[in-house]
């Protein structure tokens, strides 16, 4: 398994299937535990991620880490984090449908190899590209979906929470559902100080 993941990583780091390759500093493969039961899907790397080569290291990432911590989850142990597209779109625009479609086989291979029980769809872009363009994050957040034979929970993107802190209350309810499901499916003893 780890051999396969490392081969996949090597391939992804060399990808030039779309024009985002030309302007990137790094391909952001993702990080976390490749045996994790939770796979978090973001939108795309931003400036900080492109410079550092790691996902969710800017302001959104700091908020994501706080939320994970409140759930008793760590990046190293409980989750793997990646994005719909693995290279930064210029000016942080939303990835186009074509960019997302070109990059999607990489994400699907990562999900296949890591084989998580739970997917977390962070924000409108992850929801739309994973579940269909007609999906609305405001309508579907907090409700389990079935995707690739796995449970998927759409939640607001941390950047949306930074723009509108009133969304944090709903988001915490959604993450509590994830902790309950993790106890059901993975580890009944999972400890969280807050859930
Ligand atoms: N926002 C995302 O969607 N992904 C990242 O990796 C960073 C910020
Ligand atoms: N708009 C977004 O782009 N993402 C969210 O999570 C919520 C609103």
């Amino acid at each position: 398994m780890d051999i396969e993941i490392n081969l996949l990583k090597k391939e992804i780091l060399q990808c030039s299937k779309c024009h985002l390759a030309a302007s990137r500093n790094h391909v952001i493969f993702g990080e976390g535990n490749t045996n994790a039961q939770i796979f978090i899907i973001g939108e795309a790397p931003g400036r900080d991620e492109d410079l550092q080569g790691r996902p969710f290291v800017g302001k959104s990432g700091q908020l994501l880490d706080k939320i994970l911590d409140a759930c008793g989850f760590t990046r190293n142990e409980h989750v793997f984090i990646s994005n719909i597209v693995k290279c930064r779109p210029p000016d942080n625009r939303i990835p186009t449908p074509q960019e997302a479609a070109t990059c999607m086989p990489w994400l699907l291979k990562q999900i296949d190899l890591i084989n998580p029980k739970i997917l977390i769809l962070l924000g409108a872009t992850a929801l739309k590209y994973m579940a269909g363009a007609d999906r609305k994050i405001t309508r579907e957040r907090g409700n389990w979906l079935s995707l690739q034979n796995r449970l998927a929970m759409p939640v607001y993107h941390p950047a949306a929470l930074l723009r509108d802190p009133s969304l944090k209350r709903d988001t915490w309810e959604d993450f509590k559902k994830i902790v309950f499901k993790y106890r059901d499916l993975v580890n009944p003893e999972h400890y969280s100080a807050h859930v």
Side-chain angles (χ1 to χ4, degrees), residues 86-159:
K86 309 246 181 301
C87 299
R88 182 193 183 201
D91 306 316
N92 295 342
R93 61 167 171 73
I94 296 172
T96 64
Q98 197 187 342
E99 288 159 358
T102 305
C103 211
M104 186 57 72
W106 294 138
L107 179 60
L108 295 180
K109 270 187 208 160
Q110 288 179 308
I111 294 171
D112 243 27
L113 290 177
I114 292 170
N115 196 24
K117 291 200 161 60
I118 296 168
L119 306 175
I120 300 177
L121 310 178
L122 277 187
T125 301
L127 174 64
K128 284 172 188 285
Y129 286 133
M130 291 302 292
D134 57 332
R135 303 299 184 123
K136 290 264 184 295
I137 190 72
T138 48
R139 189 174 62 215
E140 308 215 21
R141 56 140 279 274
N143 297 302
W144 290 105
L145 306 174
S146 176
L147 291 178
Q148 265 87 46
N149 280 315
R150 300 167 209 280
L151 287 172
M153 176 58 78
V155 299
Y156 290 126
H157 194 286

Side-chain angles (χ1 to χ4, degrees), residues 19-188:
H19 58 106
L20 294 181
S23 53
R24 74 183 179 219
N25 287 299
H26 286 98
V27 180
I28 290 76
F29 174 76
E31 70 179 23
N33 182 353
T34 54
N35 295 305
Q37 296 297 342
I38 299 177
F39 194 120
I40 300 177
I41 303 170
E43 174 176 313
R47 181 171 165 278
D48 297 312
E49 291 76 22
D50 178 58
L51 290 173
Q52 295 185 41
R54 298 177 51 207
F56 282 98
V57 291
K59 285 214 162 61
S60 289
Q62 288 161 24
L63 179 53
L64 177 62
D65 283 340
K66 275 201 210 170
I67 296 170
L68 294 177
D69 184 60
C71 295
F73 297 140
T74 65
R75 284 197 192 205
N76 282 341
E77 183 179 352
H78 302 90
V79 303
F80 189 86
I81 306 177
S82 194
N83 282 299
I84 292 289
V85 300
K86 309 246 181 301
C87 299
R88 182 193 183 201
D91 306 316
N92 295 342
R93 61 167 171 73
I94 296 172
T96 64
Q98 197 187 342
E99 288 159 358
T102 305
C103 211
M104 186 57 72
W106 294 138
L107 179 60
L108 295 180
K109 270 187 208 160
Q110 288 179 308
I111 294 171
D112 243 27
L113 290 177
I114 292 170
N115 196 24
K117 291 200 161 60
I118 296 168
L119 306 175
I120 300 177
L121 310 178
L122 277 187
T125 301
L127 174 64
K128 284 172 188 285
Y129 286 133
M130 291 302 292
D134 57 332
R135 303 299 184 123
K136 290 264 184 295
I137 190 72
T138 48
R139 189 174 62 215
E140 308 215 21
R141 56 140 279 274
N143 297 302
W144 290 105
L145 306 174
S146 176
L147 291 178
Q148 265 87 46
N149 280 315
R150 300 167 209 280
L151 287 172
M153 176 58 78
V155 299
Y156 290 126
H157 194 286
L161 305 183
L162 291 170
R163 286 192 301 268
D164 180 359
S166 74
L167 300 178
K168 286 183 180 177
R169 181 187 288 265
D170 281 344
T171 302
W172 181 237
E173 294 306 314
D174 302 345
F175 272 90
K176 282 200 263 186
K177 291 182 187 175
I178 294 167
V179 173
F180 295 143
K181 190 64 78 181
Y182 190 86
R183 290 198 183 114
D184 270 358
L185 298 181
V186 182
N187 177 11

